[in-house]
Amino acid sequence: MVKQRIFYYDVLRAIAILGIVFCHASVTFVLTGVDNPTFYISAFFDCLRDFSIPIFVMLSGALLINRKDSLGDFFKKRLSRLFIPFVFWVVISIIYSVVYLKHSFDISNALDIFFGKPGTLGVAFWFIWMIVIVYFEIFIINRLIIYGSGKRENFEKVFITLLTVLSVIYMTLSHFGILGHYSSNVLYFMSFITYVIIGYFISHYDLVGSRVSANKMIIATLLVSCALYGYYIFGFVVPKSIQANHFVYKGYFNLLILALSVNIFSLFKYLSKTKYLMNIEDKTLGKLFITISKYSFGLYLCHYMILNLIKINLIGIYRNQNPLLWIPILVILTTSISLAILGILNRIPYLDRFTGKS
């Protein structure tokens, strides 16, 4: 049986991956200095990542929590889909680094790319290791739900609600610096389970029910999302960056980013209950969202290398130009070329396994 896609999940996934591409396309402009009069434009685009990663993780929770797969089935499906395309694009990135960028080849450089070390072509690959750890946590939660559901009626709802409350408490403690710094990457990656739980809760439960119309919730979540992001950029990022004389932004574990991510996720959930999304699902824009969503993982894996190639060849054209024009151009070029490559690979037997298509 063909699994039915949830269109608003596709839209959120497409927006999230584009937000990450926008971030990486903006880096060159952000680093030109906070005294640049166009800094706020670069910061606006760069910080799209700050809710995009949480939304990606929230979607994992929406889709994977409360699954009844066995340990073997769960990880065979999840890890094979992760690592087969991941290893392929790691190898391609290493080859590109040596052949095109003329970097010397050694095991240390290769491992840096493999493990997602900042400053390498694998800078985005940290996400893979975070997701692997999160998958283990999701499996444990699923087994607890199965066990508890056999002991008590409505256990799943009570358990998820409790985990959601604990997740918000964790975010609050992180926001006020009570938890301090993470002592290792493993602990940092484990903390993303909070977004997984919150994503499942938002997608499966409706606190307002029929008491408030979907149209009113759309207006409310849209206004709050715009207000929160506007405050984040112009009330925090820009002034703090100017004060520190370098680019400053928040991490993922604070109440502002949580509220922003939750409102954006909720906005599209309520849009899915109206005609707004239904009217575009079968049209060109809707099909584009679905295509980007299907290839989002492959796009995540290959876009940074493609963007690097584009920047090298166009640097003489876009350097010192208006970021309001050139960041979107870089995003469009990167996304288009990446999707074209992934689409070609998807048509070739055996190579189609490397696209990460869902």
Side-chain angles (χ1 to χ4, degrees):
M1 186 176 77
V2 178
K3 188 175 179 180
Q4 185 177 6
R5 302 189 71 90
I6 299 174
F7 182 57
Y8 91 88
Y9 286 2
D10 282 321
V11 175
L12 279 170
R13 195 178 291 110
I15 290 172
I17 187 59
L18 290 175
I20 292 168
V21 179
F22 264 103
C23 166
H24 290 146
S26 305
V27 170
T28 305
F29 296 91
V30 168
L31 296 180
T32 57
V34 297
D35 55 343
N36 192 311
T38 59
F39 172 74
Y40 65 92
I41 298 174
S42 307
F44 181 91
F45 286 130
D46 189 286
C47 290
L48 293 174
R49 160 213 52 216
D50 295 353
F51 64 80
S52 295
I53 290 292
I55 284 175
F56 258 132
V57 181
M58 290 166 75
L59 286 168
S60 294
L63 290 166
L64 298 180
I65 282 186
N66 209 17
R67 297 282 293 261
K68 295 178 172 58
D69 298 326
S70 67
L71 178 64
D73 288 342
F74 188 85
F75 286 105
K76 182 180 179 181
K77 286 187 285 188
R78 305 299 153 212
L79 296 186
S80 62
R81 182 176 176 268
L82 274 179
F83 276 104
I84 290 175
F86 169 56
V87 171
F88 173 80
W89 288 107
V90 165
V91 172
I92 296 298
S93 296
I94 292 171
I95 294 172
Y96 172 79
S97 175
V98 173
V99 175
Y100 193 83
L101 300 182
K102 307 301 181 184
H103 293 167
S104 60
F105 174 78
D106 59 57
I107 297 300
S108 177
N109 289 339
L111 289 176
D112 285 345
I113 292 175
F114 184 69
F115 287 111
K117 184 177 179 179
T120 71
L121 283 174
V123 63
F125 293 161
W126 69 271
F127 184 85
I128 309 303
W129 303 105
M130 179 270 286
I131 283 294
V132 169
I133 290 174
V134 164
Y135 279 173
F136 276 96
E137 293 175 304
I138 291 174
F139 181 78
I140 292 171
I141 289 173
N142 287 348
R143 300 316 293 180
L144 289 173
I145 290 174
I146 292 172
Y147 175 79
S149 297
K151 302 290 184 179
R152 177 178 173 177
E153 189 177 357
N154 293 326
F155 174 82
E156 176 262 335
K157 185 173 183 177
V158 173
F159 183 56
I160 291 297
T161 301
L162 175 62
L163 290 180
T164 302
V165 171
L166 291 175
S167 296
V168 173
I169 292 173
Y170 178 86
M171 290 287 189
T172 303
L173 295 175
S174 296
H175 179 90
F176 290 106
I178 296 173
L179 293 180
H181 297 289
Y182 299 96
S183 59
S184 69
N185 282 340
V186 172
L187 290 175
Y188 176 66
F189 293 162
M190 288 176 65
S191 300
F192 279 90
I193 193 65
T194 53
Y195 278 111
V196 171
I197 294 164
I198 292 169
Y200 179 81
F201 184 85
I202 294 172
S203 63
H204 287 78
Y205 302 115
D206 195 342
L207 294 178
V208 299
S210 58
R211 290 168 295 185
V212 181
S213 69
N215 284 337
K216 289 181 179 178
M217 290 304 300
I218 290 169
I219 294 171
T221 52
L222 175 61
L223 291 176
V224 172
S225 296
C226 292
L228 287 173
Y229 196 66
Y231 167 75
Y232 179 44
I233 300 301
F234 304 111
F236 177 83
V237 173
V238 172
K240 289 291 185 181
S241 298
I242 292 173
Q243 182 181 0
N245 200 32
H246 63 82
F247 184 42
V248 175
Y249 58 93
K250 286 184 175 292
Y252 299 114
F253 301 105
N254 64 83
L255 294 178
L256 177 57
I257 299 302
L258 172 64
L260 177 61
S261 304
V262 165
N263 269 276
I264 292 172
F265 197 109
S266 300
L267 168 62
F268 286 93
K269 174 185 175 179
Y270 289 111
L271 277 170
S272 70
K273 297 181 178 183
T274 67
K275 62 183 179 181
Y276 302 116
L277 283 187
M278 288 187 288
N279 285 344
I280 69 167
E281 185 171 358
D282 295 323
K283 293 187 171 67
T284 302
L285 181 59
K287 291 176 181 178
L288 178 60
F289 277 130
I290 292 173
T291 299
I292 294 174
S293 173
K294 286 181 176 180
Y295 286 107
S296 60
F297 183 53
L299 184 53
Y300 185 91
L301 293 173
C302 74
H303 83 274
Y304 195 81
M305 181 180 61
I306 303 299
L307 178 60
N308 179 270
L309 179 62
I310 293 171
K311 282 185 173 182
I312 288 174
N313 286 279
L314 294 182
I315 191 168
I317 300 175
Y318 76 81
R319 182 183 286 277
N320 299 321
Q321 297 298 315
N322 190 343
L324 184 60
L325 173 65
W326 275 98
I327 291 174
I329 288 176
L330 290 172
V331 170
I332 292 170
L333 287 173
T334 301
T335 304
S336 300
I337 294 172
S338 298
L339 287 175
I341 292 171
L342 293 170
I344 292 170
L345 290 177
N346 194 58
R347 293 176 176 272
I348 303 174
Y350 301 108
L351 294 183
D352 58 345
R353 301 184 68 192
F354 304 137
T355 64
K357 184 180 178 183
S358 62

